[in-house]
Amino acid sequence: MQENGFHGKVAIVTGAAGGIGSAIAHALGTRGARIVLVDRDETALAAQVADLREQGIQAYPSAIDIRHGVAVKAMIERVIEDFGPIDFLVNVAGILRAAPVLSTTEEDWDEHFAVNATGLFHVSQAVARHMALRRRGAIVSVTSNAAQVPRMGMAAYAASKAAATAFTKCLGLELARHGVRCNVVAPGTTRTPMLQSLWKNLDDERRTLDGHPEAFRVGIPLGRIAQPSHTSDAVAFLLSEQASHITMQCLYVDGGAALGA
């Protein structure tokens, strides 16, 4: 099993039942960390934990809904009681319901912010309080390049991810004096179930690569769709000692789609 200075560390990964979250849990686990996987999909979460354990990774499930602050605080206390201090937090949990602004319902708007921003706030605040007391730890929030670059049909998603990005940087500023680092990884188009749900036609992948002039969207300069491992590798770097002097930064992992933002 690969290790990279994470042996024995305790990591929490939200949205870990699939897609990028599961890739991050795997990446940290193969580097020696003990992983608490958080997701509200209990069935998918159990399957993911079982798969990681078969690979020799120390993985543990926590099926909660991060929209509920009381449940989050209780979960964090249980993790510390069962496994010891939390070294790493990776915020991945998120939803995307694509719709033009004029068709976006108030319910969908609220749900985007409840999960992508408020849920992230609940988990980050609860973990950060303990990290600040220990004067050590690292937090990475996985947002989106849509937080910086406007996307048609994605206003609620983009706005909530922009909120998550700004919050993480502000948290990093406040925690710097306590020795805790907070950074952001902003993926672009990544081959996940969320992406597949957005593609409706056979030529959607090619249009994603080449761009959509009618939607004011450039393509992907590197000419390929990202894999979840591209984001998980970036997260692992920002959590590692190699990034010990990096905080309040946003690392784009999008093949150049945001043109450097």
Side-chain angles (χ1 to χ4, degrees):
M1 181 178 294
Q2 178 185 358
E3 291 186 10
N4 188 28
F6 292 176
H7 182 71
K9 302 290 187 181
V10 176
I12 293 178
V13 181
T14 71
I20 289 175
S22 63
I24 291 170
H26 180 269
L28 302 186
T30 57
R31 288 164 169 81
R34 292 177 290 165
I35 315 298
V36 178
L37 288 81
V38 177
D39 205 287
R40 62 182 175 181
D41 187 337
E42 189 169 356
T43 301
L45 184 63
Q48 183 62 33
V49 168
D51 180 62
L52 292 176
R53 287 178 175 175
E54 285 182 4
Q55 301 175 59
I57 292 172
Q58 299 182 68
Y60 309 92
S62 182
I64 68 164
D65 189 333
I66 63 170
R67 294 176 299 176
H68 305 307
V70 173
V72 167
K73 291 175 184 177
M75 180 268 291
I76 297 303
E77 295 301 328
R78 287 196 304 271
V79 170
I80 294 172
E81 181 178 347
D82 293 344
F83 305 109
I86 299 164
D87 299 285
F88 305 135
L89 167 63
V90 188
N91 294 301
V92 189
I95 65 166
L96 167 57
R97 298 174 183 172
V101 172
L102 300 186
S103 301
T104 298
T105 66
E106 184 175 349
E107 178 185 1
D108 279 347
W109 177 268
D110 290 344
E111 186 70 2
H112 275 95
F113 275 85
V115 178
N116 299 352
T118 303
L120 180 144
F121 159 74
H122 288 320
V123 182
S124 298
Q125 183 189 62
V127 172
R129 284 174 171 154
H130 291 279
M131 287 183 171
L133 291 174
R134 292 183 68 217
R135 302 191 63 81
R136 62 183 300 176
I139 296 172
V140 174
S141 295
V142 177
T143 62
S144 169
N145 63 357
Q148 179 66 25
V149 180
R151 297 289 192 226
M152 293 184 69
M154 296 175 65
Y157 175 78
S160 64
K161 289 295 188 177
T165 298
F167 168 79
T168 302
K169 290 183 177 182
C170 289
L171 182 64
L173 179 60
E174 294 187 12
L175 294 182
R177 69 189 66 183
H178 300 292
V180 179
R181 299 183 298 106
C182 301
N183 289 290
V184 176
V185 171
T189 302
T190 305
R191 201 173 295 279
T192 64
M194 181 182 288
L195 174 66
Q196 299 296 333
S197 70
L198 295 176
W199 284 348
K200 306 301 182 184
N201 302 304
L202 294 176
D203 64 343
D204 279 348
E205 179 169 355
R206 174 48 53 189
R207 286 165 59 82
T208 296
L209 294 172
D210 294 342
H212 299 248
E214 69 278 14
F216 308 99
R217 177 169 179 168
V218 299
I220 302 175
L222 284 183
R224 61 181 184 270
I225 305 296
Q227 297 296 330
S229 60
H230 291 122
T231 297
S232 65
D233 287 342
V235 169
F237 165 69
L238 287 173
L239 293 176
S240 73
E241 284 301 311
Q242 286 89 340
S244 62
H245 206 56
I246 299 175
T247 193
M248 293 180 282
Q249 299 301 307
C250 181
L251 176 58
Y252 286 82
V253 184
D254 66 354
L259 300 182

